[in-house]
């Protein structure tokens, strides 16, 4: 294996990417004649081409370097083509107090970018016959309102069409244990109300993430965190990825600290400064250091290389059988132009069409599919994109406020797809 390959990934399997025979990603491959129903026509981009803008010194590399020089980016970016790293850059500090720099081996908080791990866990149980996607909430859980228990299905939850409300979150609370986080989220999810008919698209409703995670726990008899670490991260070889606790965040030198901007313009370490609970009005949200561990179904920490491993595990049958991988990424409901992270603005890459899949948006952009998920909290920004037609994976992980995450995502998509 060459030195610039992602370690631990079998390149013979990765060569199946780009529409040759990739399990779970052949649906719209450029060289596949019998594309599956519901997927786009073959991409116009030659899957063997390395666009100039993706290379070291290219437009994307220069753009991120300029942001870092202007103190507008701290973190890592990675572009991988068929398992080979094309561009890998690291900027800024993972821990300023200890003098530890960011690099490709540092794990970053994922925020919402970790939500698809829960959908993968549910689909693993579905392919084993331990649950059905048409099961209602009440099939596996108790304590929910009757109309939710009897009418809202797992499919509704994963596809973002549950019709549920988003219960209020206590953003000031400081949690002290895993058990406290689980108990709080169990009570919190049961405060959701059915405000529209099941099948109605919702907008980033947290209960749609929490309830499937609780179903995973009910079916498996283990915690969501333990199940995903063993059956998703473990299968993919994601050795630098996990659901780390706040004590680990404080002591492990391989976990990046988030630098949150306060209302006065200063930046503080959000993990070490739990009392600094009022982020800038430009960066609303919780202080990530207040959570002892990410809520079941959400978040986690990952390295850029591990997210590439996850992307390829979706394509080679490692983490899901081919057909269930297609269920994960198949379009379920149309999204408006601003949905799923591609903004409707002058600077955004125009998407031909956007859809909700299971816990992630999928888009047709520049004649090819883009699958991925982004997320953020104060001091946290994360994005991973899979380009199944051409075998590309793009990762952006940042650990400070002021990072224009959506603009960087736009630039990545432009570089990979050739969109203008």
């Amino acid at each position: 294996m060459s030195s610039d390959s992602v370690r631990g990934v079998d390149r013979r399997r990765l060569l199946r990417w780009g529409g040759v025979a990739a399990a779970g990603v052949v649906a719209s491959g450029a060289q596949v004649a019998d594309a599956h129903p519901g997927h786009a026509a073959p991409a116009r981009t030659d899957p063997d081409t390395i666009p100039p803008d993706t290379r070291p010194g290219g437009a994307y590399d220069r753009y991120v370097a300029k942001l870092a020089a202007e103190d507008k980016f701290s973190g890592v970016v990675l572009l991988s083509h068929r398992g080979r790293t094309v561009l890998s850059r690291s900027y800024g500090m993972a821990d300023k107090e200890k003098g530890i720099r960011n690099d490709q081996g540092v794990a970053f908080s994922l925020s919402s970018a970790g939500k698809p791990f829960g959908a993968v866990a549910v689909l693993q149980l579905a392919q084993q016959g331990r649950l059905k996607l048409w099961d209602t909430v009440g099939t596996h859980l108790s304590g929910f309102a009757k109309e939710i228990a009897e009418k809202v299905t797992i499919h509704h939850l994963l596809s973002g069409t549950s019709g549920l409300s988003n219960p209020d979150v206590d953003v000031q609370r400081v949690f002290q244990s895993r058990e406290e986080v689980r108990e709080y989220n169990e009570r919190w999810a049961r405060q959701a109300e059915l405000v529209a008919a099941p099948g109605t698209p919702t907008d980033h409703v947290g209960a749609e993430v929490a309830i499937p995670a609780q179903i995973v726990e009910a079916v498996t008899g283990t915690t969501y965190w333990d199940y995903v670490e063993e059956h998703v991260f473990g299968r993919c070889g994601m050795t630098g990825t996990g659901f780390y606790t706040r004590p680990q965040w404080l002591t492990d030198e391989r976990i990046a600290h988030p630098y949150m901007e306060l209302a006065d313009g200063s930046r503080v370490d959000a993990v070490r400064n739990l009392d600094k609970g009022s982020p800038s009005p430009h960066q609303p949200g919780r202080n990530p250091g207040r959570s002892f561990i990410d809520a079941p179904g959400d978040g986690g920490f990952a390295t850029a290389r591990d997210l590439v491993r996850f992307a390829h595990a979706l394509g080679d049958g490692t983490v899901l059988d081919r057909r269930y991988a297609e269920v994960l990424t198949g379009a379920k409901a149309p999204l408006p132009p601003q949905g799923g992270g591609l903004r409707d603005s002058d600077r955004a890459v125009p998407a031909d069409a956007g859809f909700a899949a299971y816990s992630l948006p999928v888009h047709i952009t520049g004649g090819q599919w883009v699958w991925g998920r982004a997320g953020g909290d104060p001091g946290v920004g994360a994005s991973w994109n899979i380009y199944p037609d051409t075998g590309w994976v793009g990762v952006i992980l940042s650990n400070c406020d002021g990072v224009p995450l959506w603009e960087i995502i736009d630039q990545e998509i432009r570089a990979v797809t050739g969109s203008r």
Side-chain angles (χ1 to χ4, degrees):
M1 182 176 292
S2 62
S3 61
D4 60 348
S5 296
V6 177
R7 295 180 181 177
V9 180
D10 185 343
R11 282 190 51 77
R12 289 174 297 178
R13 292 189 299 178
L14 297 185
L15 288 174
R16 297 161 65 193
W17 278 77
V20 180
V25 296
V26 299
S28 54
Q31 299 177 15
V32 177
D34 56 342
H36 297 298
H39 288 269
R44 294 185 295 272
T45 303
D46 181 351
D48 295 323
T49 299
I50 306 295
D53 287 352
T54 65
R55 296 178 180 274
Y60 182 61
D61 189 13
R62 297 195 306 271
Y63 169 78
V64 177
K66 183 174 184 293
L67 289 178
E70 296 171 349
D71 195 28
K72 295 180 180 178
F73 182 77
S74 173
V76 302
V77 296
L78 178 64
L79 293 177
S80 171
H81 181 245
R82 296 185 175 180
R84 182 182 295 275
T85 299
V86 175
L87 180 68
S88 174
R89 297 295 189 220
S90 305
Y91 298 96
M93 306 299 292
D95 187 336
K96 294 180 181 179
E97 182 176 287
K98 295 182 179 180
I100 300 170
R101 300 193 63 82
N102 284 322
D103 63 45
Q104 297 292 333
V106 169
F108 290 75
S109 178
L110 295 177
S111 188
S112 292
K115 289 176 178 175
F117 300 142
V120 170
V122 170
L123 288 174
Q124 286 181 342
L125 299 176
Q127 74 180 29
Q128 296 166 19
R130 301 173 72 180
L131 56 78
K132 306 296 184 184
L133 294 175
W134 59 81
D135 286 348
T136 61
V137 172
T139 304
H140 301 282
L141 302 174
S142 61
F144 287 86
K146 185 174 185 291
E147 58 184 357
I148 295 174
E150 295 181 354
K151 296 180 180 179
V152 177
T153 67
I154 293 174
H155 166 76
H156 290 142
L157 296 166
L158 294 183
S159 61
T161 59
S162 68
L164 293 176
S165 65
N166 209 10
D168 291 334
V169 178
D170 183 358
V171 296
Q172 298 300 319
R173 181 165 178 172
V174 178
F175 294 88
Q176 303 297 333
S177 69
R178 285 166 46 117
E179 292 72 22
E180 186 180 348
V181 173
R182 282 190 69 248
E183 291 172 1
Y184 174 85
N185 281 276
E186 286 182 359
R187 293 194 302 272
W188 173 82
R190 284 159 176 78
Q191 297 171 18
E193 297 178 352
L194 194 62
V195 295
T200 303
T202 54
D203 183 20
H204 206 67
V205 173
E208 293 177 335
V209 178
I211 297 172
Q214 292 172 27
I215 291 174
V216 169
E217 294 186 334
V219 171
T220 65
T222 188
T223 69
Y224 171 84
W225 306 302
D226 291 341
Y227 179 87
V228 172
E229 286 187 337
E230 178 179 355
H231 296 279
V232 180
F233 303 158
R235 288 190 193 181
C236 298
M238 300 166 69
T239 56
T241 298
F243 295 103
Y244 302 132
T245 63
R246 187 169 62 241
Q248 289 174 296
W249 207 347
L250 285 166
T251 58
D252 192 328
E253 295 184 351
R254 307 310 296 167
I255 305 175
H257 286 227
Y259 289 90
M260 177 177 68
E261 184 176 302
L262 301 181
D264 63 5
S266 63
R267 286 179 183 166
V268 298
D269 184 326
V271 185
R272 289 195 174 100
N273 293 274
L274 295 182
D275 59 321
K276 305 294 186 181
S278 299
S280 162
H282 303 294
Q283 295 285 343
R286 65 182 175 88
N287 179 337
R290 291 181 179 274
S291 181
F292 187 85
I293 190 171
D294 280 310
D298 206 349
F301 296 77
T303 67
R305 289 170 178 161
D306 276 357
L307 289 172
V308 173
R309 293 185 176 101
F310 173 70
H312 286 291
L314 286 177
D316 64 18
T318 296
V319 73
L320 283 173
D321 292 346
R322 170 182 170 180
R323 297 306 181 190
Y324 279 90
E326 292 173 351
V327 171
L328 176 75
T329 59
K332 308 299 189 297
L335 291 174
Q338 69 273 18
L342 290 183
R343 302 166 305 141
D344 187 15
S345 73
D346 292 340
R347 297 192 62 184
V349 174
D352 302 316
F355 306 90
Y358 275 169
S359 294
L360 76 160
V362 296
H363 295 87
I364 304 169
T365 303
Q368 61 176 289
W369 282 103
V370 183
W371 305 334
R373 186 74 200 232
D377 272 316
V380 172
S383 168
W384 52 268
N385 281 322
I386 301 172
Y387 303 81
D389 297 314
T390 50
W392 286 88
V393 180
V395 179
I396 305 162
L397 299 171
S398 67
N399 67 320
C400 74
D401 279 343
V403 172
L405 180 62
W406 305 122
E407 293 180 11
I408 303 174
I409 295 171
D410 293 342
Q411 293 296 325
E412 175 199 292
I413 296 173
R414 292 180 194 275
V416 172
T417 67
S419 301
R420 290 292 180 260

